[in-house]
Amino acid sequence: MPGISGHELSYTANRHFSIVLLYEAIADLVNAHARLDISQAWGDGTAVAADGTHMDTYLDNLLSETSVRYGKPGGIAYHHISDTYIALFTHFIPCGVWEAVYIIEGLLKNSSEVKPTTVHADTQGQSQPVFALAHLLGFDLMPRIRNWKGLTFYRPSKTTEYVHIDALFGESGNNVIDFDLIESQFRHLMKVAVSVREGVISSSTLLKRLRSGSKKNATYAAFREVGRVIRTVQLLRYLSDPALRRRVTAATNKTESFNGFSQWIGFGNRGVIADNDPVEQEKAMKFNALLTNAVIFHNALDIAEIVRQLLEAGWEIDPEDLAHISPYLTEHINRFGEYSTHELGNQPEAYNPKLDVDFTQLRDQDLRTEGFGTAA
């Protein structure tokens, strides 16, 4: 390659290889955590919540932008948090971007054995293009719903009317889905979805284009129509199902708790990302996610060991009580560490993933209260 030395190529390859190793290390921890019986107290890995948190950078950082939400320079650590509390995927994005475009990307880049099919998000996830792409890729997007007055419900036809909820859909004959357009563009929609799934185009790039795309483009318009259908179905589900609303709130609360927990762990340099290099910034985020996941895994093992001791002492353990215990515990953690270099070569004892507690009743309870239909 002209103009680039072998040393520079090697340096670039090594930097990106380190990102790959971090991906693999995070996936190994997620897989190990999923095999712990105690993780079943918190979820089954089928749901994930996506959210970002502000990270400080210095003013002279080239990728730093002033956040409208926080009023200070920085970037966003965007996390995908499993229903079992552990982070499946994390990356660093600028403050100025629309966070919702990264909802799908974290699901596709997740390389662990935990493969969620339901994704929760904050209010930004209500976007029609995000609903459309999630549906085409087989994900059930259910964000937290706010600002109901600004949301539109769409009818399947001009003649469709509803006995009790017709007012939600506006004036009779208005807000009608163009199913003919969807049918005519369906093959194009699926080609785009396959391209995203196969990595030909990133989901974030596509969603940015769909958000700013011309309404005269038939494929863009068809994405909009699919998004209207799916969002209307999800809004109705959200309104009619109290158990669903509780699950969405619980999932998004986990991401907010993870944000605080990961920032408590990433206290070095006062939590400021000093590097000006996007690769190094991404590495910093992934190192923090790796360390945070390691502490979560460690806490889960400690919780399981205490439960085993209680069971041996004759206590009766209710799995529903364990479901309310979070592994985001800090009181027993020495953040500054105790370094004994002579112990680096010691092989740690094998941990015990088994726990004599029946967690199936928690999943059965979820199924009884779920009331989920399939997104049309």
Side-chain angles (χ1 to χ4, degrees), residues 129 132-133 135-137 178-197 201 206 210 217-227 229-230:
L133 184 59
H135 180 74
L136 291 173
L137 291 172
D178 189 348
F179 281 105
D180 290 336
L181 175 63
I182 295 175
E183 184 176 0
S184 68
Q185 293 295 314
F186 189 74
R187 291 184 66 182
H188 295 291
L189 295 177
M190 294 309 300
K191 285 180 180 179
V192 172
V194 170
S195 295
V196 171
R197 173 70 74 178
I201 181 174
L206 173 65
L210 290 174
N217 183 291
T219 304
Y220 284 11
F223 260 100
R224 178 197 63 205
E225 293 302 303
V226 173
V229 173
I230 304 305

Side-chain angles (χ1 to χ4, degrees), residues 1 4-20 277 279-280 283:
M1 185 178 297
I4 300 178
S5 68
H7 175 74
E8 290 172 323
L9 283 173
S10 176
Y11 173 70
T12 301
N14 286 337
R15 294 201 309 150
H16 287 280
F17 182 63
S18 64
I19 291 283
V20 173
D277 184 332
V279 174
E280 295 303 315
K283 284 169 61 177

Side-chain angles (χ1 to χ4, degrees), residues 155-229:
R155 304 174 188 271
S157 70
K158 289 185 177 181
T159 58
T160 302
E161 293 184 359
Y162 301 96
V163 177
H164 301 295
I165 61 172
D166 200 63
L168 292 174
F169 297 81
E171 295 183 10
S172 181
N174 289 342
N175 303 328
V176 179
I177 298 296
D178 189 348
F179 281 105
D180 290 336
L181 175 63
I182 295 175
E183 184 176 0
S184 68
Q185 293 295 314
F186 189 74
R187 291 184 66 182
H188 295 291
L189 295 177
M190 294 309 300
K191 285 180 180 179
V192 172
V194 170
S195 295
V196 171
R197 173 70 74 178
E198 296 301 315
V200 177
I201 181 174
S202 76
S203 61
S204 58
T205 299
L206 173 65
L207 289 170
K208 288 174 186 175
R209 292 180 182 177
L210 290 174
R211 193 186 188 203
S212 58
S214 171
K215 295 180 181 179
K216 296 180 181 179
N217 183 291
T219 304
Y220 284 11
F223 260 100
R224 178 197 63 205
E225 293 302 303
V226 173
R228 287 173 172 177
V229 173

Side-chain angles (χ1 to χ4, degrees), residues 26-45 82-84 86 88 112-115 296-297 300 351 353-354:
I26 290 171
D28 286 345
L29 262 175
V30 171
N31 294 340
H33 180 76
R35 297 184 189 114
L36 299 178
D37 283 356
I38 187 64
S39 71
Q40 298 176 46
W42 304 313
D44 57 7
S82 169
D83 54 12
T84 61
I86 203 160
L88 301 185
S112 73
E113 297 169 0
V114 179
K115 301 297 183 185
I296 292 169
F297 181 70
Y351 60 85
K354 301 300 180 183

Side-chain angles (χ1 to χ4, degrees), residues 287-301:
F287 271 122
N288 179 251
L290 177 62
L291 181 57
T292 304
N293 280 356
V295 176
I296 292 169
F297 181 70
H298 174 83
N299 284 344
L301 289 175

Side-chain angles (χ1 to χ4, degrees), residues 43-48 82-84 88 107 114-120 139-140 363 366 370:
D44 57 7
T46 59
V48 66
S82 169
D83 54 12
T84 61
L88 301 185
L107 297 172
V114 179
K115 301 297 183 185
T117 54
T118 298
V119 55
H120 304 293
F139 298 115
D140 186 20
R363 304 287 84 78
D366 286 346
E370 197 165 51

